[in-house]
Amino acid sequence: MLWQTVASIGVLGVSLLWAGEPAGAAGRADGRAPQKPPAERAGARELHPDLFTKTIQKYLEGEWSGRVQGVHVALLEPSEPVKIPSGVVELRVAPSSFEEGLGRRLFHVTVMADGKAWTTVDALADVAAMVDVVVPNRYLKSEELIDAGDLTTQRIKVYDLNHPYLTDREDAVGKSAARPLQADTPLRPTFLKTPLTIKKGDRVLIEAKRGGLSIQTSGVTRSSGHIGQSIMVANLDSGRELRAKIVAPGLVQVEF
């Protein structure tokens, strides 16, 4: 039976299993020398750096399950294959005593041989998280009201778990753009604002109340604002300007 190499990747690490020729196989039927086992072939008993990358990635995916959509690991060290002993080999990432974030990190990876610790490799890697963030699917003008049809999600790479981007569309629906926004721009809370209830130049109803008495007239706003704010309004009948409080879209109140 020819030598085979079997690799399996799990959450705890990577296991490599070698199955060899039967003991006592002295030669081949064609008279040539038997094929050398992996332990005797140059480079056959080595761990490629990619296996350290996959082991660390699986470890972090378990550590951050539910918080991110994926993990990206760029291994810096080891950059060359690592020599390993014969037998079943498994890689295990030693858990940290405290939670570490993204960016450049050092991982202590234990190389297990036949279930026993053989050596520990210090693996240096740049770690990023993949998250789905909210982006506009078209150009948005400043002050433009945003609805659900204007939004989609896009997966991006971040280097801080406490990133500033919106991940829930509902946090943007009903808001307005605080500045012009290009399509596919990852949205931050500072890019949005509560839309103006009344804008400068709007026709409004001016209501004057005292006790149970209410008088109404028409006016034009001299400035913009939100509910609860006071703005200047011109009475269309008298031309007089007065300060009134915004109580609803198209309605302001004054006291007399």
Side-chain angles (χ1 to χ4, degrees):
M1 178 176 67
L2 295 178
W3 288 86
Q4 298 176 334
T5 302
V6 180
S8 65
I9 301 173
V11 172
L12 290 179
V14 180
S15 298
L16 303 179
L17 176 64
W18 276 266
E21 293 181 23
R28 293 172 45 159
D30 58 9
R32 290 185 290 171
Q35 185 178 8
K36 290 184 179 182
E40 298 176 20
R41 281 188 249 152
R45 298 299 302 181
E46 294 179 336
L47 284 178
H48 193 276
D50 281 352
L51 295 179
F52 287 91
T53 300
K54 292 175 181 177
T55 301
I56 293 170
Q57 182 172 337
K58 288 291 183 180
Y59 169 77
L60 293 175
E61 286 174 350
E63 189 178 59
W64 295 330
S65 177
R67 298 177 62 185
V68 301
Q69 281 70 52
V71 177
H72 181 270
V73 177
L75 190 71
L76 304 175
E77 294 290 342
S79 58
E80 300 294 333
V82 175
K83 301 289 185 180
I84 58 172
S86 60
V88 179
V89 174
E90 182 183 8
L91 303 185
R92 294 182 181 177
V93 177
S96 175
S97 58
F98 58 93
E99 184 177 11
E100 296 186 87
L102 304 175
R104 187 154 297 183
R105 288 181 55 178
L106 183 67
F107 298 89
H108 302 296
V109 183
T110 301
V111 180
M112 308 289 293
D114 290 331
K116 297 180 179 180
W118 181 70
T119 189
T120 297
V121 176
D122 288 338
L124 185 65
D126 285 333
V127 180
M130 307 301 294
V131 296
D132 292 336
V133 300
V134 180
V135 301
N137 55 28
R138 63 177 182 85
Y139 173 77
L140 295 175
K141 297 180 292 184
S142 180
E143 304 291 344
E144 186 171 358
L145 195 65
I146 300 171
D147 62 35
D150 298 323
L151 304 170
T152 186
T153 56
Q154 189 175 95
R155 186 160 295 185
I156 66 170
K157 186 186 298 183
V158 297
Y159 291 91
D160 188 346
L161 288 175
N162 298 316
H163 60 82
Y165 304 110
L166 298 182
T167 57
D168 188 342
R169 298 189 197 190
E170 292 305 313
D171 291 334
V173 173
K175 300 289 182 64
S176 62
R179 61 179 180 82
L181 296 171
Q182 298 293 332
D184 299 326
T185 300
L187 295 182
R188 305 182 183 209
T190 54
F191 294 174
L192 309 175
K193 63 181 182 180
T194 302
L196 294 170
T197 306
I198 288 176
K199 296 181 181 180
K200 181 179 179 181
D202 283 353
R203 292 283 293 264
V204 294
L205 185 66
I206 303 173
E207 183 179 56
K209 297 182 69 174
R210 173 176 289 179
L213 179 63
S214 174
I215 302 173
Q216 295 181 336
T217 187
S218 297
V220 176
T221 59
R222 297 305 190 198
S223 55
S224 304
H226 303 282
I227 290 178
Q229 290 184 325
S230 293
I231 60 173
M232 296 303 296
V233 181
N235 186 319
L236 290 180
D237 292 333
S238 65
R240 179 186 173 192
E241 292 192 2
L242 59 156
R243 183 167 293 277
K245 180 182 289 187
I246 302 172
V247 294
L251 177 63
V252 298
Q253 282 184 348
V254 296
E255 293 184 358
F256 70 95

